[in-house]
Amino acid sequence: MSETLLSESGRRARHGSNIGQPLTRRDGVLKVTGAATYAADNHPEGMLYAVVATSTIARGRVTFLDEAAARAHPGVVEVMTGANRPALATDPDEKSNPFMFRLDLLQNDRVRYPTQPIAVVIAETLEAATEGAMLLAPRYEAEPARTGLDGAESFAPQSVGVGNPAFAETGDVESGLASAARRVDATYETPAQYHNAMEPHCVVAQWDGDTLSLDMPSQGLAMAQGRIAGLFGIPPENIHIRSPFLGGGFGSKGFPAGPQILGILAARLTGRPVKLVLRREQMFGPVGHRAPTRQRIRLGMAEDGRFTAIENHTRTTSSTFDDFFEPAADVAHTLYASPAIRTSYDVVRLDTGTPLFMRAPGEATGSIALESAIDEAAEAAGMDPLAFRLKNYAEVEPISGKPFSSKALRECYRQGAERFGWSKRPQQARQMRDEAGLLVGWGMGTATFPALMFQAKARATIRRDGTGLIETGAHDMGQGAWTALAQIGADAIGLGMDEVEFRAGTSDLPDAGIAGGSGHTATAGMALHKAGLAVIAKLAELAVSDERSPLYGAGNVGTIAREGKLLRRDDESRGEPYTAILERAGLAKIEAEGEAAADGAAQEAYAMHAHGAVFAEVKVDPDLGQIRATRLVGAFAAGRVINPKLVQSQLFGGMIWGVSFALHEHAVTDRRSGRVMNADLAEYPIPVNADVPSLETILVHEDDAHVNVLGIKGVGEIGITGTGGAVANAIWHATGKRIRRFPISLADLLD
């Protein structure tokens, strides 16, 4: 069962507005009928197939590849190694900005992690390429693999995430802990996780001189264009990337992956179009993952339950050759009021692929630990977990002292608790059973995610026939961008959705920024909004300066665009259709561009976050320890809702992932070889339909005048935060056992 509720104030939509309507996604029919063309569905004439041969060791060097056997195999056209790989214009290990990651492009014989590409076999058929790769039979000079959070000497990084300080403190934490009437000192561990989008990373590459055509999934077309241009020493405009659909990304497709560049190199080497698609097990290494963490959280509380200090020290991991450090502790900066807060990190370098952004990077790992610790603190204080959170409610952002641009978290708590029935929850653990004798537990967690916004451009056109065209190089990886962005653009030019053509998903369109950080709707949407306003302003200028127009002379009072007409703002009975204005001006169309960027002054003045509260019910077999999440209610406040149906889908997806985080998902690494042992969808545990509980979401109305003109905050990642902790806390409430290592298994409960 699933349901979405809107609070009454959230139901309002102005007359004639596309924004706020629960429209069915525009790409839905294409996807369910198989008509949507994904990158690997493309087959240019003369295309070859490339297969990556990957390392089976974690550390060392390749000493031999049987290239002769591979080349002799029927159908094999070429074997690409470091010896014959086409030259690159820049070193793939160079980094010029924090959003650039080092790539393995056969630059030497070193092996830095398992599944690192060590050669590429190119053939007339996929079968021949696959068999040729097996015939390479590599030999290695192996060195011991460094694995696990204690697998190497740790060090303190300078920054975490993308430029976040690795150490932050306000107040005196040690004094706050020393003076506390009650304390919690607990350590939580989260595992490595892998993105595992349905669509694997792939590329179809075709060269024409120094012009390159690519079909590849991308969450950031312009960034990919720039990175590839730098590697090959060609102008970005020589590269045309098509990415109309993505079969999921979750952060892993924000940047070009090494294997995709190898596919482009293979096309360069052979002079023919090449398709390269990673196998599922090859995605456990070169395309990013969520790093494991060990978080020690110390909390101090006064007699009345108010915090005197909050500290999170996180240990995490990265690769031996690049820097991305999971910013798990940073969630402690924003959620609960405390006179003293400190976050710090140490890091261990392992023989693994470089970790990367993965849905709610930092917030997912940090919140499941922090929300578990908050529950332990509530228990120590003898308080209901919701009452405890309200007692420590932050009216300003604790770490910075900035006011929130908006914060409807109290209302999320109220509406979520009421819908869930939280008031009936007994405070003590192991007090509830169902009719079958299963232990029943109720838990909660607070959800939060920053309201981010990046830079983007868009173009809007009004045609003489009264239709519109809105364009931006946006990315739809399943979140519904085709629909939500079209709603914003159509609204800006005063037309209905069926009167507007929306173009997106190719690099020759205006740069829509990156689809990440839950910021794509706000970013690309604001660019479309500004482009729409700009083209309407141009149209209005034609009308108000034309003596033949009913709008003549209305420049001072202004006009309104609605339902294909311009109307006088002071007298809406006077106006005329777009068609008449353009026809009289002798124009087939009129167009304008718009640009969007975050408001630096507003970001400096305000803390900008979306918030929510998740309530979970679990049932646990007291004899077998088997756990089922049976019911989830989430109440979320994320600014202006563009499309409630799409928002519901995103929140459901995040909440399900939160259940997965708490109960299912983890990579198992062989400590001897460093290889992930469950690198497939059969043994990498994620929820299936039978694991999905009853889901309900409540969209709590929230107006925010500061995040952007449209008041949009993101919803793609907030659903994970809070949910994992809510499930973990419900397990404690059912069993009386506090498990601090995730995912929680039946073995943990039977110990």
Side-chain angles (χ1 to χ4, degrees), residues 335 393 407-414 446-447 611-613 637 702:
L335 273 180
Y393 191 88
K407 187 180 182 183
L409 179 56
R410 287 187 189 276
E411 190 63 12
C412 293
Y413 284 145
R414 186 189 69 78
T446 305
H611 295 94
E702 181 179 65

Side-chain angles (χ1 to χ4, degrees), residues 213-464:
S213 296
L214 300 173
D215 292 286
M216 59 181 280
S218 174
Q219 294 176 232
L221 286 168
M223 291 182 67
Q225 199 178 30
R227 178 66 159 133
I228 295 166
L231 286 168
F232 287 91
I234 59 178
E237 56 268 22
N238 283 22
I239 302 169
H240 183 219
I241 307 175
R242 293 176 292 270
S243 184
F245 303 103
L246 285 77
F250 313 120
S252 71
K253 294 172 183 171
F255 314 92
Q260 292 170 313
I261 306 300
L262 290 174
I264 300 171
L265 284 163
R268 182 70 120 181
L269 178 65
T270 60
R272 290 171 61 179
V274 166
K275 177 191 291 188
L276 188 152
V277 181
L278 289 185
R279 296 193 304 272
R280 178 61 55 180
E281 70 272 17
Q282 293 176 332
M283 293 177 63
F284 286 73
V287 298
H289 64 282
R290 195 193 305 277
T293 71
R294 179 183 295 146
Q295 302 174 54
R296 183 187 180 191
I297 297 180
R298 297 196 296 166
L299 306 174
M301 295 85 69
E303 286 287 354
D304 65 355
R306 296 182 192 274
F307 282 126
T308 60
I310 298 173
E311 182 187 34
N312 181 322
H313 177 78
T314 292
R315 170 172 289 189
T316 188
T317 69
S318 192
S319 67
T320 59
F321 58 93
D322 211 343
D323 299 335
F324 182 83
F325 309 124
E326 179 82 359
D330 288 10
V331 74
H333 296 172
T334 65
L335 273 180
Y336 300 105
S338 174
I341 297 174
R342 181 167 64 209
T343 58
S344 57
Y345 294 83
D346 69 338
V347 174
V348 174
R349 291 199 182 277
L350 304 178
D351 299 310
T352 180
T354 304
L356 199 61
F357 304 97
M358 186 168 174
R359 199 173 191 178
E363 283 80 11
T365 45
S367 69
I368 196 170
L370 180 61
E371 289 305 300
S372 297
I374 294 297
D375 238 53
E376 295 199 48
E379 181 190 359
M383 296 179 66
D384 171 82
L386 176 54
F388 183 79
R389 286 169 171 83
L390 288 169
K391 173 72 75 171
N392 289 285
Y393 191 88
E395 300 292 353
V396 298
E397 185 179 52
I399 197 72
S400 68
K402 293 180 183 179
F404 290 101
S405 59
S406 62
K407 187 180 182 183
L409 179 56
R410 287 187 189 276
E411 190 63 12
C412 293
Y413 284 145
R414 186 189 69 78
Q415 292 191 35
E418 182 178 321
R419 181 69 177 174
F420 187 82
W422 185 260
S423 62
K424 300 176 183 178
R425 175 188 183 274
Q427 189 160 318
Q428 299 302 313
R430 212 178 171 92
Q431 299 299 305
M432 297 194 295
R433 292 182 184 253
D434 71 358
E435 61 279 0
L438 298 178
L439 296 168
V440 179
W442 289 359
M444 69 165 297
T446 305
T448 186
F449 196 80
L452 302 177
M453 189 172 160
F454 310 110
Q455 294 182 327
K457 298 178 181 179
R459 182 165 52 244
T461 303
I462 297 174
R463 298 159 171 155
R464 189 188 291 188

Side-chain angles (χ1 to χ4, degrees), residues 139-159:
R139 293 199 290 267
Y140 305 96
E141 184 181 284
E143 301 171 33
R146 293 164 290 192
T147 65
L149 285 160
D150 300 306
E153 186 176 347
S154 68
F155 66 95
Q158 293 297 308
S159 62

